[in-house]
Amino acid sequence: SLDAVDQTITYVFAVEILLKLVVYRLQFFRRGWNWFDFIVIGVSLIPGTQAFGVLRALRVLRILRLLHIVPMMRRITEALMKALPGMGAIFAVLALITYVAAVMATNMYGNTENEEVTELFGDLPRSAYSLFQVMTMDGWRFEVVQKVIDDGNPYAWMFFLIFIFIASFAILNLFIALIVDSLAAEQQAIIEEGLDEIEGELEGELMTAEKERAAVLSAIQEMRSEIAALRASVEAQSK
């Protein structure tokens, strides 16, 4: 049954973790992926009681082990992890732009008797939420912008188009550029690592060839010495 297969896979993973602990000992915990495996397998071994039902549900995380088993998936994941600091900075810029736009929208469109517009831009939190909807472009025209225009703001579309251009196009494209750059850097690091390995192998082969050459030259020198000694011996006997 599926339960038997599930338990078998769990035990196989558990044995793998134990073998790694035996071999690497404390070095095992120096890698983040090993921590991930240890926690996921530990959760999988928790008895299936009601108290631990939520933790047992986390067993599905075992499939994420593919992220470091499959080389290509591991590279993509590592690139995304390295891009997190830059993504945080972009999130901060996006939040700042949204805050400024929310303040402006509240001041420009919030002071109205139209209840629909007040629900959208009556205060700062509502304005921020409405602008987030505009940024995602989910019903932004008829559910947000058109209501503001109908409330006596015929040029409101200019404000929202500028916000969409900055938040949806410019900022979100920065995320894509950052991830692509991180992937390119990861690929470059892999290439450089491969080149270093090839260079090391070539240096080893050159050193081996140099040693063999030195050994051959030494053997030739010894042969010359022996030939010279034999020649001298023959000449001495002939005299």
Side-chain angles (χ1 to χ4, degrees):
S1 64
L2 292 178
D3 290 337
V5 174
D6 179 74
Q7 291 181 358
T8 301
I9 294 174
T10 300
Y11 292 145
V12 170
F13 287 161
V15 170
E16 178 192 6
I17 296 295
L18 289 175
L19 292 176
K20 285 184 177 181
L21 285 171
V22 171
V23 174
Y24 297 108
R25 299 181 183 276
L26 294 179
Q27 300 289 333
F28 173 84
F29 296 101
R30 292 191 175 184
R31 292 190 60 190
W33 285 114
N34 290 338
W35 272 103
F36 176 79
D37 291 343
F38 184 80
I39 293 173
V40 170
I41 299 304
V43 169
S44 300
L45 294 174
I46 294 176
T49 60
Q50 185 175 1
F52 297 101
V54 176
L55 292 178
R56 291 281 292 178
L58 296 178
R59 291 180 301 172
V60 71
L61 294 176
R62 286 178 302 181
I63 196 172
L64 294 180
R65 298 183 79 243
L66 291 174
L67 294 179
H68 72 96
I69 294 176
V70 180
M72 183 58 67
M73 296 178 69
R74 183 177 67 250
R75 294 169 188 169
I76 294 175
T77 304
E78 291 175 352
L80 289 175
M81 295 299 293
K82 291 179 180 179
L84 285 179
M87 293 174 67
I90 295 176
F91 269 120
V93 173
L94 181 60
L96 182 61
I97 292 174
T98 303
Y99 173 77
V100 172
V103 172
M104 295 176 62
T106 302
N107 292 329
M108 290 188 297
Y109 311 125
N111 299 322
T112 179
E113 296 180 357
N114 189 321
E115 294 183 359
E116 291 184 341
V117 178
T118 302
E119 285 293 326
L120 294 172
F121 299 102
D123 51 35
L124 188 60
R126 294 178 183 178
S127 297
Y129 179 79
S130 299
L131 288 175
F132 179 78
Q133 181 179 355
V134 171
M135 181 182 66
T136 60
M137 305 183 73
D138 179 23
W140 67 279
R141 178 182 176 185
F142 296 105
E143 296 181 12
V144 179
V145 179
Q146 192 63 47
K147 293 180 180 179
V148 176
I149 293 175
D150 294 340
D151 191 42
N153 301 286
Y155 299 105
W157 59 270
M158 297 178 62
F159 170 79
F160 291 105
L161 282 182
I162 293 173
F163 177 76
I164 289 174
F165 177 78
I166 295 175
S168 296
F169 298 151
I171 299 297
L172 293 182
N173 281 333
L174 286 178
F175 283 104
I176 299 174
L178 180 65
I179 294 173
V180 171
D181 182 68
S182 181
L183 287 172
E186 186 69 20
Q187 186 66 27
Q188 183 65 27
I190 294 172
I191 294 174
E192 291 179 357
E193 182 179 353
L195 291 176
D196 291 339
E197 292 180 358
I198 294 174
E199 184 178 356
E201 292 177 358
L202 290 176
E203 289 180 355
E205 292 178 358
L206 287 175
M207 291 180 63
T208 302
E210 187 66 25
K211 291 180 180 179
E212 293 177 353
R213 177 176 176 274
V216 171
L217 291 176
S218 177
I220 292 174
Q221 188 65 31
E222 291 179 359
M223 292 177 63
R224 287 179 177 176
S225 299
E226 292 177 358
I227 292 173
L230 288 173
R231 184 177 296 173
S233 176
V234 171
E235 290 178 353
Q237 291 178 0
S238 62
K239 292 180 180 180

